[in-house]
Amino acid sequence: MKIAVDAMGGDFAPRAIVEGVLLAASELPSDAQIVLIGREDSIREIFKEHNFESSVVEVVHAEEVIEMGEHPTKALSQKPNSSIGVGFKLLKEKAIDIFCSAGNTGAMHVGALFSIKAIEGILRPAIAGYVPQLDGSIAIMLDIGANADCKPEVLAQFGEIGSLYAQYTFQIERPRVALMNIGEEEQKGSLVAQATYPHLKANKRIHFIGNIEGKDLFTNKADVIVTDGFTGNILFKLGESLYEITKQRGIQDDFIDKTNYESIGGSPIIGVNGNVMIAHGISSPTAIKNMIGWAYKQVQANAYLHIAQALA
Amino acid sequence: MKIAVDAMGGDFAPRAIVEGVLLAASELPSDAQIVLIGREDSIREIFKEHNFESSVVEVVHAEEVIEMGEHPTKALSQKPNSSIGVGFKLLKEKAIDIFCSAGNTGAMHVGALFSIKAIEGILRPAIAGYVPQLDGSIAIMLDIGANADCKPEVLAQFGEIGSLYAQYTFQIERPRVALMNIGEEEQKGSLVAQATYPHLKANKRIHFIGNIEGKDLFTNKADVIVTDGFTGNILFKLGESLYEITKQRGIQDDFIDKTNYESIGGSPIIGVNGNVMIAHGISSPTAIKNMIGWAYKQVQANAYLHIAQALA
């Protein structure tokens, strides 16, 4: 298995990324290899500082870098030899099994759509956030930012692709799918939420448990939380902020530690023909290390193949 | 000053409400009186149990009760002698200065619109949630549930009426108004959020500081947080859930204590011709007591008069 990581993406790249990879390298299962994509000399310099020499990490040179603020589509067409451009080229050729980056999120999203493309039948691929639950399990919430405005049909499909992702990646036999809403009753919510409910309810391929509310985000009510990328992003970022708030106040707690973005490190793009994971721009070495751990599980599950099969 | 409380509204009414009023009665400033509206015999029975005899609390009999699940408009027209019906009648007649209830939220909202009515020029009155901030101050977020779908003009007006409310109720000279969004840049967000930004920016009567994100909910970035009642409700309920989560995990913290719904107890309806406060259905005596404390401040400020003046 080849897990490719964009060495140049993120606020602290390449150092934080390469150091995260070195942390991951020592813990990686024997069937996995990491492919670092980026400026080879910069990467090897950090290897050298750490006296790192191992065949577990391969380096693929990419001359250019897409910066955080660049326009995704423009940057991708003008910089085919950027680390993101090269990553998606390798992913499309199946030379790697997953491509991960803490770089320009828009470029990652557009890059996936242009290279490996959306799975046939998918209305809109989504970025799914892992949401730690109080019982130690993990739920996914989608979308958390790729699609700020969603039609009911799109939200309903998030329920189905999220369910398949959770089933195969987390080995949950019958994931509980819920719609994030402002009340438990079917007729509650925005016009879009009201129109989404019957779609989810009618879909016999998922186990729809109805609406959940903001207070249920962490309370193991659902395995798959359906929401648009506007509400989802705001909720997800509030959830992640708990760790900073409590840390500043001297509180240490195992559950709250898990809400720290570092403890998961990455968010998959679901609905495309391959494995893609994006990470926070601020990613630290620990975050990158943990993302690689999840990337390994995502490749083992290859949920995208099951999604393609279900929609065929 | 007369602070009226619906004795019959809420999951634990009348007991929790009356006991909350008794707690408040002993702490109330001398210029304030509480008017309890509901079934007089039930109320007096609880007085008796507590050996309560004081002229600080007046009882106004109301024979009927609007239940939590009832259709607001129907219930109000069919039950004019309900505690909510009588409350709004007294508020309209200015026999009381504020009407508070933990009962049917829809009936409270519709009751306000039908009796004291929206202030002229107000597009949609909003329910505003008090959001405790890490520095000890309080921000308000509106809307948190009355309007699940909002047009940009409505959101923009929330910024203005929220600013006036915060200015007069919290004595903040120049409240910082922010739009809850998925990024800091002006062009970020849903179509509605994108269209709202220029309205807020152009309004010279408010101090608009731009977008804030989910992670900024508690971090003293803004005094007035503008959002629709869908996202606002979900965010607010997640915020309130922190207290339960940390309490279960044995964490005690002064800030998190303030996120407990009980510590504030009530949410004003802003944009109507009078003072109205609604409380959680689950309200405990402590919540009711604290709501009455805020009701006192709201009446002292009478922000609604300033809002009416600003829109005249």
Side-chain angles (χ1 to χ4, degrees):
Chain A
M1 178 196 306
K2 291 202 173 189
I3 298 170
V5 179
D6 170 12
M8 313 311 287
D11 301 341
F12 309 112
R15 178 164 298 279
I17 313 299
V18 175
E19 290 183 348
V21 164
L22 299 190
L23 289 175
S26 62
E27 295 180 6
L28 214 61
S30 59
D31 61 336
Q33 247 204 328
I34 300 174
V35 180
L36 258 171
I37 305 172
R39 291 203 180 116
E40 185 158 11
D41 51 350
S42 310
I43 296 169
R44 297 234 177 255
E45 208 172 280
I46 302 167
F47 280 5
K48 213 170 154 186
E49 277 178 43
H50 290 270
N51 296 313
F52 180 80
E53 278 181 57
S54 164
S55 59
V56 170
V57 183
E58 189 186 325
V59 178
V60 169
H61 180 67
E63 187 58 36
E64 294 168 307
V65 175
I66 295 179
E67 304 294 342
M68 296 305 262
E70 285 192 74
H71 186 277
T73 319
K74 260 193 225 164
L76 277 164
S77 67
Q78 286 167 0
K79 295 179 175 174
N81 295 319
S82 60
S83 51
I84 292 181
V86 171
F88 279 115
K89 187 173 159 285
L90 295 175
L91 189 64
K92 194 184 171 187
E93 293 167 353
K94 298 197 187 297
I96 56 176
D97 296 291
I98 185 166
F99 180 44
C100 311
S101 174
N104 187 314
T105 305
M108 285 298 289
H109 194 71
V110 171
L113 292 178
F114 282 13
S115 62
I116 53 172
K117 297 196 164 61
I119 290 167
E120 216 183 306
I122 289 285
L123 302 169
R124 306 278 288 269
I127 300 174
Y130 286 17
V131 182
Q133 300 294 302
L134 282 161
D135 66 354
S137 66
I138 286 181
I140 58 164
M141 178 158 70
L142 66 173
D143 182 32
I144 61 159
N147 311 282
D149 294 286
C150 294
K151 295 205 168 79
E153 296 75 16
V154 170
L155 288 172
Q157 195 177 61
F158 288 170
E160 183 160 354
I161 64 180
S163 178
L164 287 162
Y165 183 89
Q167 182 185 341
Y168 289 99
T169 312
F170 303 149
Q171 275 99 47
I172 302 168
E173 211 179 309
R174 202 162 160 254
R176 297 158 302 166
V177 178
L179 180 63
M180 182 54 76
N181 207 331
I182 61 174
E184 289 184 359
E185 305 86 349
E186 179 163 353
Q187 73 282 6
K188 286 270 180 172
S190 61
L191 295 173
V192 168
Q194 286 176 42
T196 302
Y197 193 106
H199 284 283
L200 287 165
K201 195 175 165 187
N203 188 343
K204 297 299 168 215
R205 293 184 300 274
I206 61 170
H207 175 34
F208 179 55
I209 60 161
N211 294 329
I212 60 169
E213 300 181 80
K215 65 183 163 62
D216 305 319
L217 184 66
F218 297 124
T219 58
N220 349 312
K221 278 213 175 165
D223 302 299
V224 178
I225 301 167
V226 174
T227 186
D228 61 77
F230 186 77
T231 303
N233 181 280
I234 293 173
L235 263 185
F236 195 72
K237 285 180 181 162
L238 174 57
E240 283 183 341
S241 76
L242 300 185
Y243 175 74
E244 271 311 312
I245 289 174
T246 52
K247 197 178 71 175
Q248 278 171 21
R249 302 184 65 80
I251 297 168
Q252 195 284 323
D253 177 75
D254 289 351
F255 167 70
I256 293 173
D257 281 355
K258 287 186 193 141
T259 67
N260 179 7
Y261 87 95
E262 280 188 329
S263 83
I264 306 251
S267 298
I269 300 181
I270 302 184
V272 291
N273 274 306
N275 291 309
V276 181
M277 223 166 203
I278 59 176
H280 250 289
I282 56 164
S283 285
S284 67
T286 305
I288 297 297
K289 184 199 82 169
N290 288 331
M291 174 179 69
I292 292 170
W294 283 108
Y296 179 82
K297 288 183 194 163
Q298 186 170 322
V299 174
Q300 275 195 314
N302 269 342
Y304 80 92
L305 295 174
H306 298 280
I307 293 171
Q309 206 170 14
L311 294 178
Chain B
M1 178 194 307
K2 290 202 174 189
I3 298 170
V5 180
D6 171 12
M8 313 311 287
D11 301 340
F12 308 113
R15 177 164 298 278
I17 313 301
V18 176
E19 290 182 349
V21 164
L22 300 190
L23 289 174
S26 61
E27 296 179 6
L28 214 61
S30 59
D31 61 336
Q33 247 203 329
I34 299 173
V35 180
L36 257 171
I37 305 172
R39 294 205 178 114
E40 186 157 12
D41 51 351
S42 310
I43 296 169
R44 297 234 177 257
E45 208 172 278
I46 302 167
F47 281 5
K48 213 170 154 188
E49 277 177 44
H50 291 269
N51 295 314
F52 180 80
E53 277 180 58
S54 164
S55 59
V56 170
V57 183
E58 189 185 325
V59 178
V60 169
H61 179 67
E63 186 58 35
E64 292 168 306
V65 176
I66 294 179
E67 304 294 342
M68 298 303 264
E70 284 192 74
H71 186 278
T73 320
K74 258 192 227 167
L76 278 164
S77 67
Q78 286 166 0
K79 295 178 175 174
N81 295 319
S82 60
S83 51
I84 293 182
V86 171
F88 280 115
K89 187 173 159 282
L90 296 175
L91 189 65
K92 194 184 171 185
E93 293 166 355
K94 297 196 188 299
I96 56 177
D97 296 290
I98 185 166
F99 180 45
C100 312
S101 175
N104 187 314
T105 304
M108 285 299 290
H109 194 71
V110 172
L113 291 178
F114 282 13
S115 61
I116 54 171
K117 297 197 166 60
I119 290 167
E120 217 181 306
I122 289 286
L123 302 170
R124 307 277 288 267
I127 300 175
Y130 286 18
V131 182
Q133 299 294 301
L134 282 160
D135 67 353
S137 67
I138 286 180
I140 58 164
M141 176 157 72
L142 66 172
D143 180 33
I144 60 159
N147 311 281
D149 294 286
C150 293
K151 295 206 169 78
E153 296 76 16
V154 171
L155 288 171
Q157 195 176 61
F158 288 170
E160 183 160 354
I161 64 180
S163 177
L164 287 162
Y165 183 89
Q167 183 186 340
Y168 290 99
T169 312
F170 303 149
Q171 275 100 47
I172 302 169
E173 211 178 309
R174 202 162 159 255
R176 297 159 300 165
V177 178
L179 179 63
M180 181 54 75
N181 207 332
I182 61 174
E184 289 184 359
E185 304 86 348
E186 178 163 355
Q187 73 283 5
K188 286 271 180 172
S190 60
L191 295 173
V192 169
Q194 287 177 42
T196 302
Y197 193 106
H199 284 284
L200 287 166
K201 196 177 165 184
N203 188 344
K204 296 298 166 216
R205 294 183 300 274
I206 60 170
H207 176 34
F208 179 55
I209 60 162
N211 294 329
I212 60 169
E213 300 181 79
K215 65 183 164 60
D216 306 318
L217 185 66
F218 297 124
T219 59
N220 350 312
K221 278 214 176 164
D223 301 300
V224 178
I225 301 168
V226 174
T227 185
D228 61 76
F230 186 77
T231 303
N233 180 280
I234 293 173
L235 262 184
F236 195 72
K237 285 182 182 161
L238 174 58
E240 284 184 340
S241 76
L242 301 185
Y243 175 75
E244 272 308 313
I245 289 175
T246 51
K247 198 177 70 175
Q248 279 170 21
R249 301 184 65 79
I251 298 167
Q252 196 283 324
D253 177 75
D254 289 352
F255 167 69
I256 294 174
D257 281 355
K258 287 185 193 140
T259 67
N260 178 8
Y261 87 95
E262 280 188 329
S263 85
I264 306 249
S267 298
I269 299 180
I270 303 184
V272 292
N273 274 306
N275 292 309
V276 181
M277 223 166 205
I278 59 176
H280 251 289
I282 56 163
S283 285
S284 66
T286 306
I288 296 297
K289 184 198 82 169
N290 288 331
M291 173 178 71
I292 291 170
W294 283 107
Y296 180 82
K297 288 181 195 165
Q298 186 170 323
V299 175
Q300 274 193 314
N302 269 341
Y304 79 93
L305 295 174
H306 298 279
I307 293 172
Q309 206 169 14
L311 293 179

